[in-house]
C-alpha cells in the first residue's frame, strides 16, 4: 500500500473575479522510502501540492490518503497531530523562530508532541549533532549562516521521526555550494530509509532524487524514474 | 488537551515577546498600572479609616444612648424644631424610673465659651453634667479626677478640661489645682481628660477641646435656655432592645406623647459614626471604582490592541508552529498567556508604585495595604489580560496554516 495516495485532487482558489485552478486533477502514489522531486514552472501548483500532502491545506475535491487514512475525514486536531508526528517540513525561508536558540527551535515539534523536557533536549541535541551542528546548539538563527539555518530546519523536521520529509525549494535561498551541502544531507537521510519529497526548479537539484514528477498548469505532465541519481559522493 | 508543556512554552514565548518589546509592553500596561494603584490605595485608606473608626467607637463607649431633641442623622432636622425642649427635670424623672439603666446622665452644654488662664485663652464647648458622666463616656481623666457627688450637688466651681484645652492654656505647667476663667467665672481645674483625637473632622464629639463643670453650677451661672441631652447606659447583661424599649416607653410617658404618635425626641447611638464611615467609604469606593474600571477598560483595550499587533507580526511564526504540529488550543493558549503575563507585569508594576505610597498614607492615617488587595489586584490584572487577549488569541488560533505561512 502506498504511503501517499492522491487521486483526482483539485484545488481551486476563488478570487472573486476568477477561479484559479492551482491543481486540476492530480493523481499520484508515493511509496515509503521514495525520494521524489517535484518540478515545474512557476505557478504550476508545486507548493499547492506540497501543502496538500503536508496536511496544511485541504483539496477542493479528490481523495487524499496518508498511510491508508483518508485525510478528508480528519478534524483540525487530528491534522495537527499528523503534521506533528508524521510529517517534517523544510521551508525555503527556513522559518526558524528568530529569538530562540537552535536547540529550542528543534525542540518545538517535541513540545507539541508532549515529550518530557529531559528527553526533548536529548533528542534535539542528537538531531542537531546528526546534521553537523553539535557545536552551534545555543546559537540564535541570526548567529548562523544560511546553510546552518537550513540544517537546523532539517534537524527540526527530523526530530520527531516523521514518516516523510517535505521540502519546498530548500535550496532556493542558498548559494549553490551550500545548496549542494543540503542535498548531500538529504541523500544521507534517504540512504537511512527516510521518505523525501522535494520541490525545486533546478534540474541539477532534482537529479538527486530517484523519481521526478513534473507539473504543468496544475496537472502531472510527466512522472519518471531517474536512472542514475546523483549521490553526494559523485559530486565530491 | 493542554499540557504542562504548553503552559511552560506559553510563558517562555510570552517572556521572549515581552523582552523584545520592553517599552511597548510597559506603555501598554499603563492603564492596568493606574487601576492597580487606585485599587490598592483605596483599600489601604478604607482600612485605615476602619481602624480609626474602631478607636473612636471605643472612646464613645458602647451601648450608650444619647437622647436629644435632635436626631443626629435624620436629614429631617426641621421636624425637631417644633419639639419641646428636654429639661433637667425630665432627665431626673427618667433616672428615677428606668430599671435597666446603669446610669442616666443629663448633659447641658453651651458652645464657644472662652477658657482663659493668665494671658492665654481658647474657645470650646462647656458642659454641665453629673459624676456618672464618667460611666457613660467611658473615659477617665488622665490626670486628676472627675468631680464627686458632693462637688456636684453643691455646684462647686471645679472643672475637668480636655487634653487640647490643657495643652493650650498650660503648656508645660501642671494644670491640676490651677484656676481658670470660663466666660469670666473662676474654676479650679481638678482633672484633665486623656487625648481622644478626632475622627473625620468630628471634633465636636471629641472631648479634647471641651470643659466639664457640675450641672448645678452650670444652671446657676449660665442658666439653661436650650434643650439638654441625656446619656443613658444600660446595665451589663441587659438586652439592648429591652433596655431601649423601656427607655423609650418611659420617656414618652414623661413627655406625655400620646400613643400612636411619633417620639418627640431623638434616640441617637454611636452608630452614627458608622454611618459617617459608611458614607465616606462608599464615596471613596464609588470614585475609586470608577477610576479603576475606567483605567482597566483603557488598559484592556490597550492590551487587546497590542495583542492584535503581536498576532499580526507573528503570523508567519503561527504558520510555522502549526506546520510543526501546534493545535488551535495551544496557539490560543500561547497568546492568552502572553496577554496575561503582560498584565501581570503591569499589576506588579502598580504594586511597586503603590507600596511606597501606602507607607506615606500610613504616616497620616495608620494603615497597611491588606494582603487580599495585593492578591485581588494581581488576579484582576490577569483577568483583564485574559479577557482582552481572548479575541486576538482566537484570531491567531483559527488562522489557516497555509495562509499564515504565506503571510509576508
Ligand atoms: N492563497 C491563494 N490564493 C489565490 N491563488 C493562489 C493561492 N495560492 C496559490 N495560488 C495560485 O495557485 C497557483 C499555483 O500556486 P503555487 O504556489 O502552487 O505555484 P508553484 O508551482 O509553487 O510556483 P512557484 O514555483 O513560483 O513557487 C498560482 O497561479 C497561484 O497564483
Ligand atoms: Mg512554490
Amino acid at each position: 500500500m502506498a504511503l501517499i495516495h492522491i487521486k483526482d485532487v483539485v484545488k481551486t482558489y476563488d478570487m472573486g473575479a476568477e477561479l484559479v485552478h492551482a491543481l486540476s486533477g492530480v493523481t499520484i502514489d508515493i511509496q515509503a522510502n521514495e525520494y521524489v522531486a517535484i518540478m515545474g514552472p512557476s505557478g504550476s501548483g508545486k507548493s499547492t501540492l506540497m501543502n496538500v500532502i503536508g496536511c496544511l491545506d485541504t483539496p477542493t475535491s479528490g481523495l487524499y490518503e496518508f498511510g491508508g487514512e483518508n485525510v478528508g475525514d480528519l478534524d483540525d486536531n487530528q491534522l495537527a497531530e499528523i503534521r506533528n508526528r508524521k510529517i517534517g517540513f523544510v521551508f525555503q525561508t527556513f522559518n526558524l523562530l528568530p529569538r530562540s536558540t537552535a536547540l529550542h527551535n528543534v525542540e518545538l515539534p517535541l513540545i507539541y508532541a508532549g515529550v518530557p523536557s529531559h528527553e526533548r533536549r536529548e533528542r534535539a541535541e542528537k538531531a542537531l549533532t546528526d546534521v553537523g551542528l553539535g557545536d552551534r546548539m545555543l546559537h540564535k538563527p541570526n548567529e548562523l549562516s544560511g546553510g546552518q539555518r537550513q540544517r537546523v530546519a532539517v534537524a527540526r523536521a527530523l526530530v520527531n521521526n516523521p514518516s516523510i520529509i517535505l521540502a519546498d525549494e530548500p535550496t532556493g535561498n542558498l548559494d549553490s555550494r551550500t545548496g549542494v551541502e543540503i542535498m548531500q544531507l538529504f541523500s544521507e537521510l534517504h540512504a537511512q530509509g527516510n521518505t523525501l519529497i522535494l520541490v525545486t526548479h533546478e534540474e541539477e537539484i532534482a537529479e538527486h532524487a530517484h523519481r521526478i514528477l513534473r507539473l504543468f498548469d496544475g496537472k502531472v505532465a510527466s512522472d519518471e524514474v531517474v536512472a542514475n541519481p546523483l549521490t553526494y559522493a559523485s559530486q565530491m | 488537551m493542554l499540557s504542562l508543556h504548553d503552559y511552560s512554552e506559553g510563558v517562555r514565548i510570552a517572556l521572549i515577546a515581552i523582552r523584545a518589546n520592553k517599552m511597548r509592553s510597559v506603555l501598554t500596561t499603563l492603564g492596568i498600572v493606574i487601576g492597580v494603584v487606585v485599587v490598592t490605595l483605596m483599600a489601604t485608606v478604607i482600612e485605615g479609616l476602619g481602624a480609626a473608626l474602631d478607636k473612636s467607637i471605643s472612646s464613645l463607649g458602647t451601648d450608650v444612648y444619647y437622647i436629644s431633641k435632635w436626631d443626629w442623622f435624620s436629614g429631617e432636622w426641621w421636624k425637631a424644631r417644633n419639639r419641646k425642649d428636654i429639661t433637667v427635670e425630665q432627665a431626673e424623672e427618667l433616672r428615677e424610673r428606668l430599671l435597666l439603666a446603669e446610669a442616666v446622665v443629663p448633659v447641658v452644654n453651651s458652645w464657644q465659651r472662652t477658657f482663659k488662664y493668665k494671658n492665654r485663652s481658647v474657645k470650646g464647648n462647656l458642659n454641665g453634667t453629673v459624676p456618672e458622666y464618667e460611666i457613660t463616656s467611658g473615659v477617665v481623666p488622665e490626670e486628676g479626677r472627675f468631680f464627686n457627688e458632693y462637688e456636684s450637688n453643691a455646684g462647686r466651681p471645679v472643672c475637668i478640661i480636655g487634653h487640647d484645652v490643657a495643652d493650650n492654656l498650660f503648656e508645660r505647667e501642671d494644670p491640676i489645682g490651677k484656676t481658670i476663667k470660663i466666660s469670666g467665672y473662676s474654676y479650679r481645674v481638678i482633672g484633665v481628660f486623656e487625648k481622644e483625637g478626632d475622627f473625620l473632622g468630628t471634633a465636636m464629639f471629641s472631648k479634647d477641646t471641651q470643659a466639664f463643670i457640675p450641672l448645678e453650677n452650670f444652671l446657676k451661672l449660665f442658666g439653661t435656655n436650650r434643650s439638654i441631652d441625656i446619656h443613658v447606659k444600660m446595665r451589663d447583661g441587659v438586652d439592648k432592645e429591652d433596655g431601649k424599649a423601656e427607655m423609650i416607653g418611659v420617656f414618652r410617658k414623661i413627655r406625655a406623647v400620646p400613643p400612636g404618635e411619633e417620639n418627640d425626641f431623638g434616640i441617637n447611638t454611636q452608630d452614627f459614626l458608622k454611618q459617617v464611615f459608611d458614607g465616606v467609604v462608599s464615596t471613596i469606593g464609588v470614585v475609586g471604582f470608577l477610576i479603576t474600571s475606567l483605567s482597566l477598560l483603557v488598559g484592556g483595550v490597550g492590551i487587546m490592541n497590542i495583542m492584535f499587533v503581536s498576532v499580526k507580526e507573528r503570523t508567519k511564526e503561527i504558520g510555522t508552529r502549526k506546520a510543526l504540529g501546534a493545535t488551535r488550543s495551544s496557539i490560543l493558549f500561547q497568546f492568552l498567556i502572553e496577554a496575561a503575563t503582560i498584565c501581570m507585569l503591569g499589576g506588579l508594576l502598580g504594586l511597586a508604585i503603590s507600596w511606597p505610597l501606602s507607607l506615606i498614607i500610613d504616616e497620616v492615617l495608620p494603615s497597611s495595604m491588606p494582603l487580599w488587595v495585593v492578591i485581588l489586584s494581581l488576579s484582576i490584572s490577569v483577568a483583564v489580560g485574559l479577557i482582552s487577549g481572548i479575541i486576538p488569541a482566537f484570531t491567531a488560533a483559527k488562522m489557516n496554516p497555509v495562509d499564515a505561512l504565506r503571510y509576508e
Side-chain angles (χ1 to χ4, degrees):
Chain A
M1 188 190 60
L3 175 64
I4 285 170
H5 175 61
I6 287 175
K7 196 166 179 335
D8 300 326
V9 159
V10 171
K11 179 74 194 184
T12 312
Y13 292 102
D14 187 351
M15 300 303 287
E18 49 168 349
L19 289 178
V20 178
H21 301 284
L23 296 176
S24 32
V26 172
T27 300
I28 42 169
D29 277 340
I30 293 172
Q31 311 296 325
N33 199 26
E34 273 200 275
Y35 186 175
V36 183
I38 299 176
M39 296 200 69
S42 185
S44 57
K46 304 183 296 292
S47 295
T48 307
L49 180 58
M50 282 295 251
N51 291 336
V52 168
I53 294 175
C55 299
L56 288 171
D57 210 351
T58 46
T60 313
S61 69
L63 175 72
Y64 173 30
E65 285 179 0
F66 183 94
E69 205 165 8
N70 187 347
V71 173
D73 293 343
L74 303 180
D75 68 18
D76 225 75
N77 281 341
Q78 290 169 313
L79 290 176
E81 188 174 337
I82 290 208
R83 293 195 290 265
N84 181 238
R85 293 175 193 271
K86 306 279 177 64
I87 295 166
F89 288 98
V90 178
F91 303 94
Q92 179 176 353
T93 50
F94 321 135
N95 291 20
L96 300 176
L97 303 189
R99 298 191 198 92
S100 298
T101 60
L103 189 66
H104 185 247
N105 266 290
V106 176
E107 280 186 46
L108 268 184
L110 301 178
I111 289 174
Y112 293 123
V115 175
S117 66
H118 178 72
E119 184 190 340
R120 210 161 70 198
R121 197 185 168 90
E122 238 165 46
R123 280 168 65 179
E125 282 174 356
K126 180 171 184 307
L128 279 167
T129 311
D130 287 349
V131 298
L133 286 178
D135 54 346
R136 293 284 190 280
M137 294 199 278
L138 297 181
H139 288 233
K140 304 234 171 91
N142 62 1
E143 299 157 356
L144 297 170
S145 74
Q148 287 170 332
R149 288 182 209 185
Q150 196 59 301
R151 279 165 191 274
V152 174
V154 171
R156 184 177 66 183
L158 285 173
V159 74
N160 209 10
N161 300 321
S163 316
I164 188 164
I165 293 165
L166 303 180
D168 192 346
E169 310 212 29
T171 59
N173 276 19
L174 302 174
D175 61 51
S176 52
R177 236 186 70 97
T178 328
V180 167
E181 274 174 35
I182 294 295
M183 292 318 293
Q184 287 170 359
L185 191 56
F186 281 158
S187 295
E188 274 179 65
L189 294 177
H190 179 241
Q192 286 161 14
N194 286 293
T195 313
L196 283 93
I197 304 180
L198 171 85
V199 167
T200 180
H201 50 254
E202 288 175 63
E203 289 292 340
E204 213 171 307
I205 296 290
E207 296 287 304
H208 288 81
H210 293 218
R211 178 180 166 193
I212 297 181
L213 209 82
R214 291 180 202 274
L215 290 189
F216 193 80
D217 269 354
K219 288 196 177 70
V220 180
S222 74
D223 182 356
E224 58 212 34
V225 172
V226 179
N228 281 310
L230 287 176
T231 66
Y232 69 99
S234 68
Q235 288 215 330
M236 281 196 151
Chain B
M1 269 306 289
L2 289 172
S3 66
L4 203 63
H5 306 295
D6 285 305
Y7 184 74
S8 65
E9 174 71 2
V11 172
R12 178 199 172 101
I13 299 162
L15 290 178
I16 289 178
I18 292 165
R19 213 183 310 145
N21 298 298
K22 282 189 209 81
M23 201 57 193
R24 187 170 92 179
S25 307
V26 168
L27 288 178
T28 307
T29 60
L30 203 62
I32 308 281
V33 172
I34 294 173
V36 166
V37 169
V38 172
V39 161
T40 47
L41 292 187
M42 190 175 83
T44 308
V45 168
I46 289 177
E47 209 229 29
L49 291 178
L53 174 79
D54 286 347
K55 239 182 94 190
S56 292
I57 284 184
S58 63
S59 80
L60 263 182
T62 49
D63 65 12
V64 176
Y65 294 94
Y66 304 85
I67 302 178
S68 164
K69 185 174 161 184
W70 313 92
D71 295 293
W72 287 348
F73 274 88
S74 77
E76 297 176 312
W77 54 271
W78 57 87
K79 269 194 186 169
R81 286 184 52 177
N82 300 327
R83 291 172 176 171
K84 278 176 288 171
D85 284 351
I86 296 172
T87 63
V88 176
E89 290 69 36
Q90 289 168 353
E92 262 318 300
E93 201 179 339
L94 187 67
R95 169 153 72 165
E96 275 157 23
R97 291 173 60 175
L98 282 190
L99 302 174
L100 301 177
E102 179 182 350
V104 177
V105 177
V107 179
V108 47
N109 68 55
S110 173
W111 292 354
Q112 295 295 307
R113 290 288 171 172
T114 309
F115 310 138
K116 198 160 184 246
Y117 177 69
K118 290 183 179 164
N119 57 351
R120 282 187 288 271
S121 75
V122 286
K123 285 192 178 235
N125 291 357
L126 178 66
N127 302 273
T129 186
V130 296
E132 287 90 343
Y133 182 79
E134 246 185 316
I135 299 170
T136 56
S137 73
V139 243
V140 284
E142 178 184 58
E143 288 174 66
R145 57 178 176 85
F146 210 76
F147 45 78
N148 57 31
E149 270 316 306
Y150 164 72
E151 288 161 329
S152 177
N153 293 339
R156 301 285 301 157
V158 291
C159 69
I160 294 91
I161 55 179
H163 202 274
D164 290 354
V165 177
D167 277 355
N168 285 323
L169 294 186
F170 292 97
E171 292 183 345
R172 272 186 208 85
E173 270 182 79
D174 180 8
I176 306 297
K178 304 280 160 38
T179 299
I180 64 170
K181 298 261 185 198
I182 299 177
S183 294
Y185 300 104
S186 294
Y187 287 84
R188 190 161 55 88
V189 178
I190 58 169
V192 177
F193 277 127
E194 63 185 354
K195 179 132 183 107
E196 280 188 321
D198 62 300
F199 171 67
L200 302 175
T202 55
M204 62 177 282
F205 299 105
S206 154
K207 290 177 262 308
D208 291 350
T209 59
Q210 309 192 24
F212 296 79
I213 60 175
L215 181 66
E216 290 301 324
N217 184 284
F218 190 104
L219 296 176
K220 202 161 64 195
L221 294 183
F222 302 96
T224 177
N225 50 1
R226 53 193 296 185
S227 188
I228 70 159
D229 288 346
I230 308 172
H231 300 187
V232 181
K233 180 174 167 43
M234 297 303 161
R235 287 184 201 285
D236 283 346
V238 166
D239 183 85
K240 259 190 111 162
E241 292 308 313
D242 291 350
K244 191 178 176 185
E246 185 201 28
M247 175 179 75
I248 292 174
V250 170
F251 205 56
R252 281 175 69 94
K253 282 198 197 97
I254 294 171
R255 305 250 311 165
V257 181
E261 243 173 68
E262 258 182 75
N263 292 342
D264 68 345
F265 50 91
I267 307 283
N268 302 295
T269 63
Q270 51 176 310
D271 289 347
F272 86 95
L273 273 179
K274 184 93 178 92
Q275 291 172 27
V276 174
F277 176 73
D278 288 345
V280 171
V281 164
S282 60
T283 309
I284 296 177
V286 166
V287 172
F289 180 77
L290 285 179
I291 299 177
T292 306
S293 341
L294 209 65
S295 40
L296 288 182
L297 186 73
V298 171
V301 170
I303 299 288
M304 194 187 293
N305 182 48
I306 220 69
M307 288 314 294
F308 271 124
V309 171
S310 181
V311 166
K312 196 99 184 155
E313 279 175 352
R314 308 223 302 270
T315 302
K316 193 155 185 169
E317 176 190 321
I318 295 165
T320 306
R321 286 178 182 275
K322 289 199 159 197
L324 298 179
T327 55
R328 286 186 183 193
S329 45
S330 44
I331 299 286
L332 182 85
F333 196 64
Q334 168 187 336
F335 284 97
L336 280 184
I337 293 238
E338 183 170 326
T341 308
I342 292 179
C343 289
M344 177 91 154
L345 291 179
L348 290 173
L349 198 62
L351 288 177
I353 293 173
S354 58
W355 176 250
L357 292 179
S358 79
L359 295 183
I360 295 174
I361 293 180
D362 183 42
E363 294 291 308
V364 190
L365 183 73
S367 60
S368 64
M369 192 188 289
L371 181 65
W372 64 265
V373 171
V374 173
I375 296 169
L376 179 74
S377 351
L378 289 181
S379 316
I380 291 179
S381 309
V382 170
V384 168
L386 293 178
I387 291 170
S388 40
I390 189 92
I391 301 176
F394 204 71
T395 316
K398 70 178 205 301
M399 277 181 186
N400 177 350
V402 183
D403 296 339
L405 278 168
R406 264 178 202 273
Y407 183 84
E408 293 299 332

